[in-house]
Amino acid sequence: MAQNTGECAFRLLGPIEVSVGDRVLELRGLRQRALLTRLLLAQGRVVSVDALAHDVWSGNPPRSARTQVSICVAALRRLFRDAGASCDVITTVTPGYRLELTSHWTDIAEFSARTEKGYDLARRGLTEQAAEQLHRALALWRGRAFGDLTSHFTELEAAHLSQQRMLATEQLMMLRLELGEHRSLVGELTALVGANPLREQLRACLMLALHRSGQRAEALRTFREGRALTVDELGLEPGADLRAVHEQILHDEAEPSASADGHCANAPWQAAPPAQLPSDSAVFCGRREELRRLDQVLGTDTSARTAPVACVVGPPGTGKSAVVVHWGHRAAARFPDGCLYVDLRETTGDDPGRTAQDVLRRFLRALGVPPASLPDGLEECAALYRSLIAGRRLLIVLDHARCYDQIRPLLPGDGLCRVVVTGCELLMDKGTAEVVLLGGLAQGEAVRLLAETAGADRIAADPIGAATLVGLCARLPVALRAAGARLARKPHWTVADLVGRMSDRSRRLDLLSQGENSVRACFDRALHTLPFEVAGHYRALGRLSASAFNTGIAADVLGLGGGEAEDALERLVDLHLLEVVGRDPRGALRYRFPGLLALHAAEAYAARPDAPTRRGELALAAPQRRHSAIQRHGADRDATGS
């Protein structure tokens, strides 16, 4: 909490209140509070002026919104400065503003830290200390989060925070039961169940408190009331945990029993909702249609018998993971029970120790299963995992999946969870998954990404050069970020300087392959995950990467028959490493490597010109046939103008 003079404290868990030192600031109007709240919820990330206008005016900003945002920010800055804030609280960072949180305090961050610490202490069996942390976390609440703000973004976030508050309350009630406070809890739990009649965890706690207080008949009546409510309103029987407590009370077995790790043996496993989604990108541009498609596929309809699955596919470098992570953060309020995430590149390759079972065990630990209670076998882990997430609204993100067998044990058993899978090819049948295909960014989105990475002024100073640079990057997000980073590191370069260098095809990948935004590394990773035979075909076809080719030419280069060559080409099309560009004059399909992959395939061929193919004799068995194929390919290209 803010104690030192000049440090700001932001209280959002109730009516919005801001103070500098001991002085409480007077915020003027809903719009000022909404804008400040939007900046606070960004958690130190830059929020563009357009995003602020959209959210402050709930998606319907007036034409003067940008000007009004600037006026509002100026007023807030003046308010902080006059109150003696020790540093600039709101800074201007293209394309908008950022609220600096490093030297300030927020009750939301404090609540999150204390609840996480409480959950961790509970997992370690330190019941009394855990209860104290959760009690102090819940004491931060002063009413409905964000007070009287009714903007769409605050309503979603308020719902999410309210869910976190309720989960912390339920955990605290369980801990206090373990500490033997059942008599003092009866009244408190009765009020909580009355206000939240469908929260089965609270009802189970009330039943236990009543039974341990000698009110067995009242405990059973509480169960009957809850069952009638769920059957009437939801058409469902009570959940397994509540039924288990009912059975324990019926058989007079609901007395607390300490397990080896200090937890109550009769209490269902409980943990903080998992929040494993990686942090969102500080710069994310475009993809509106793809995000809308994810909204549509992974909507709020819970009538499906199985969990809806979205497969986000596309060539390497299109930003599949970034799109999914951005959507996940945007839709977090839809998943009050949290998010499970795994990067499946860590479970592939030459590391046999990282299997689907390891991922399941990791998920089970995140869901609160003590390590000593984890099953041994894959099927047992999968069964417990499906049981624990049944009836929960969880987002499950399976990033960089390679095949369906890899993800099958990780799929839920009912329709409340939502699953997003990313990879270079569709991993499930159309009947069980919906496809969201990513390609290059739209031209305007690509220029914007370049501007946000390299600096808006430099890009605006040369719009023609910027458009050319976007074309050289094939509108690929990983390449645009790399080009922008290159310009940012070279302030003495103009856009034209970089365009001139990248116009040399032999240098283009080098210029785009330094640091974390390396295009070559991105493509190399994709190639490394391919089956050996498919990778060999990719390398061999790199000899033809500069232009389009038909099946006959590919067959000669690969040393395959016509049907086998067509299968090989279509496999690469499925992986988005080749694209179909029409037909030649004889009606045969023509293929080519898209964009920068053409350069990478040529490099791969040059590095391994004798890379084995299915017949293993590309370099030795048919040199004359390959020579004639290249000659025919040149003739075809001359004839078609490709």
Side-chain angles (χ1 to χ4, degrees), residues 326-379:
H326 182 76
W327 181 86
H329 283 285
R330 197 180 74 162
R334 303 183 193 174
F335 305 103
D337 295 315
C339 172
L340 295 169
Y341 170 91
V342 64
D343 185 343
L344 289 167
R345 285 182 301 190
E346 299 174 355
T347 67
T348 60
D350 299 327
D351 188 351
R354 292 173 177 171
T355 63
Q357 182 174 340
D358 294 316
V359 176
L360 280 170
R361 289 169 69 88
R362 171 183 165 184
F363 281 177
L364 289 172
R365 287 193 297 270
L367 292 167
V369 179
S373 300
L374 292 171
D376 293 328
L378 172 62
E379 292 303 321

Side-chain angles (χ1 to χ4, degrees), residues 173-182 185 205 208-209 212:
M173 296 299 105
M174 292 179 63
L175 293 171
R176 291 177 63 186
L177 281 173
E178 288 189 45
L179 293 169
E181 300 180 19
H182 41 271
L185 278 175
C205 288
L208 289 171
R212 293 172 189 174

Side-chain angles (χ1 to χ4, degrees), residues 388-404:
L388 285 178
I389 64 177
R392 299 193 189 187
R393 287 182 171 85
L394 275 164
L395 174 63
I396 301 166
V397 179
L398 309 175
D399 208 1
H400 300 110
R402 183 186 72 249
C403 62
Y404 177 69

Side-chain angles (χ1 to χ4, degrees), residues 465 468-469 471-473 495-509 511-512 596 599:
T468 304
L469 183 55
L472 292 171
C473 292
V495 173
D497 289 330
L498 182 56
V499 167
R501 289 168 167 82
M502 285 183 57
S503 296
D504 182 349
R505 288 173 56 90
S506 66
R507 301 180 62 190
R508 195 173 303 166
L509 283 185
L511 289 163
L512 297 175
L596 296 172
L599 302 177

Side-chain angles (χ1 to χ4, degrees), residues 299-334:
T300 56
D301 180 16
T302 59
S303 62
R305 297 181 62 184
T306 59
V309 179
C311 283
V312 181
V313 299
T318 48
K320 297 179 287 293
S321 299
V323 168
V324 168
V325 168
H326 182 76
W327 181 86
H329 283 285
R330 197 180 74 162
R334 303 183 193 174

